[in-house]
Amino acid sequence: MSVPLALVLLGALLVGCDGADDSAPSVEQDTASSVTAAATAAATTAPPTEAPTPTQAATPVAAEENGAEPEPVEQTPVVTPTVPPPTSTPMPTVAALPPVPTPAASTVRELLALGRPLVIGHAGGDRSWPHSTMYAFSQAAYAGVDVLEMDLQMTADRVLVVHHDDTVDRTTNATGRVRDMTYEELQALDNAYWWSEEWPSHDLAPDAYSYRGIRTGDVAPPEGYGPDDFRVETFRAVALAFPEHVLDVEIKTPAGDDGEDDIDFILEMAAVLAAEIEELGRTDSVVVVSFRDEALVGFRELAPEVVTSPGQDSLPAWAFASVPLHPNDLILQVPPTFSGLDVLTPDLLGKAADEGLAVWVWPNEDWQEDPDYYAELIDLPVDGVIAGRPAEAVERFRADGDIP
């Protein structure tokens, strides 16, 4: 394909799962003033004085302390339910869960030095368990994943939450934009309401939605878990629950009232994230990614020690015009195919290997979420698979002798 077509193609695909960037000075110049404003806003915005407390299941004994995703489907609006806030939800007595297995590496650089394929749990494993719930992250950790991948949105009261879409329509029993809801309003929702084996279908029989109602107390949770493990969770809670796991974090790009990406809001998210990572002591165990290079420029300026992945402008520029990446960009995160065209070409993989860059792949087609396909990716080779079925990926890679 021609270079212009390739640039447009790869730029449209890149995800953060998807500072000054020498490869994009114009972006940095345009962003500099906004970065300062975002940092100021973050500094004056009072986050919760205490981290939200996960349930017993969300805090295993050993840890006490985001194809491209399907587009949201149309559905009949659902009235936001009246549910007591999580702090007042009666919690059943649950049995203690065993400790989460300690991963082979707990920092990004240690992880990249392992020299073997990595299993990254996409949204905790959205093809196996409810998307982005603490239950999913716990199950992925028990399965033995190396990395937990997640997407971040921000609430009206400026709390970072682990959620993929701009709205709550696709996963919960309500409708509306995340940015318009408070932290308390959002956490009252049932975040497993629409999950099924055919995720993200919304037109199945009610009994297909096997985790529906656990959050609201209408259905008993799996042993060892509670209703709070099926809510929309905060970034802080997940980071505290899994202190030994590397986190792959995407700053999402919510739209403003005009339907366009709200750059100022995205920069504020980047500033809040930088502050939380520093406060949590996770500067060496988080990878930050975003579609928007502006978010990465702003984030790097505030968190210069954190490893990043390139955005939708800088990655194609590197791939097709040899524009150098930012030094913090150590991991490329790309899909395998788009419209029948290969993204994982020998040229791209060879160039990444020559420059010492890891390649993590996120399947963007339903049929790719399969252990046989995960194994094909490893044979290319790529360095990691951001798997929707992480337990199956771990099992297959162990059977093939690719991981211990």
Side-chain angles (χ1 to χ4, degrees), residues 65 126 139 147 151 154 160 167 215 218 235-237 258 318 324 345 361 363 369 384 386 396 399 402:
E65 280 254 1
D126 64 316
Q139 292 293 96
V147 181
D151 312 285
M154 190 163 67
L160 290 178
T167 73
R215 175 74 190 101
D218 298 319
F235 167 70
R236 179 181 291 268
D258 60 0
W318 167 84
T345 64
V361 179
E369 294 286 6
I386 305 172
R396 176 57 183 268
D402 293 318

Side-chain angles (χ1 to χ4, degrees), residues 285-367:
S285 59
V286 173
V287 181
V288 172
V289 293
S290 180
F291 271 115
R292 296 302 299 241
D293 283 75
E294 296 94 329
L296 294 168
V297 171
F299 177 82
R300 292 191 195 104
E301 184 167 316
L302 299 169
E305 299 178 0
V306 177
V307 171
T308 55
S309 290
Q312 66 178 357
D313 295 328
S314 55
L315 182 48
W318 167 84
F320 300 111
S322 295
V323 176
L325 295 174
H326 189 278
N328 289 23
D329 288 339
L330 302 183
I331 302 163
L332 311 181
Q333 301 192 45
V334 297
T337 59
F338 180 73
S339 295
L341 300 177
D342 290 333
V343 175
L344 300 173
T345 64
D347 286 345
L348 184 141
L349 295 176
K351 184 176 175 65
D354 290 343
E355 298 187 23
L357 301 171
V359 178
W360 293 359
V361 179
W362 48 277
N364 62 335
E365 299 285 350
D366 288 346
W367 65 268

Side-chain angles (χ1 to χ4, degrees), residues 122-201:
H122 181 260
D126 64 316
R127 299 291 174 150
S128 298
W129 311 291
H131 194 295
S132 297
T133 57
M134 191 69 85
Y135 176 72
F137 290 121
S138 296
Q139 292 293 96
Y142 282 123
V145 300
D146 299 292
V147 181
L148 296 173
E149 188 272 346
M150 64 199 69
D151 312 285
L152 299 186
Q153 299 280 354
M154 190 163 67
T155 65
D157 48 351
R158 300 309 189 255
V159 178
L160 290 178
V161 291
V162 180
H163 193 73
H164 181 274
D165 296 352
D166 288 13
T167 73
V168 299
D169 301 22
R170 191 159 62 113
T171 61
T172 80
N173 52 336
T175 61
R177 298 193 306 179
V178 173
R179 64 180 296 172
D180 295 332
M181 299 181 181
T182 66
Y183 157 78
E184 184 173 317
E185 289 170 338
L186 195 67
Q187 287 203 320
L189 304 182
D190 183 348
N191 200 30
Y193 190 83
W194 288 113
W195 189 88
S196 73
E197 294 290 343
E198 298 182 33
W199 160 262
S201 297

Side-chain angles (χ1 to χ4, degrees), residues 244-316:
E244 302 300 322
H245 279 80
V246 169
L247 308 179
D248 185 25
V249 178
E250 181 183 350
I251 302 171
K252 298 303 291 185
T253 56
D257 294 336
D258 60 0
E260 301 295 326
D261 289 350
D262 188 339
I263 300 301
D264 289 339
F265 192 79
I266 294 166
L267 288 171
E268 188 176 353
M269 289 173 60
V272 174
L273 177 59
E276 287 208 1
I277 290 174
E278 177 67 26
E279 182 180 344
L280 291 165
R282 300 298 299 263
T283 56
D284 62 351
S285 59
V286 173
V287 181
V288 172
V289 293
S290 180
F291 271 115
R292 296 302 299 241
D293 283 75
E294 296 94 329
L296 294 168
V297 171
F299 177 82
R300 292 191 195 104
E301 184 167 316
L302 299 169
E305 299 178 0
V306 177
V307 171
T308 55
S309 290
Q312 66 178 357
D313 295 328
S314 55
L315 182 48

Side-chain angles (χ1 to χ4, degrees), residues 57-71:
T59 315
V61 175
E64 293 181 353
E65 280 254 1
N66 183 93
E69 302 224 12
E71 292 296 327

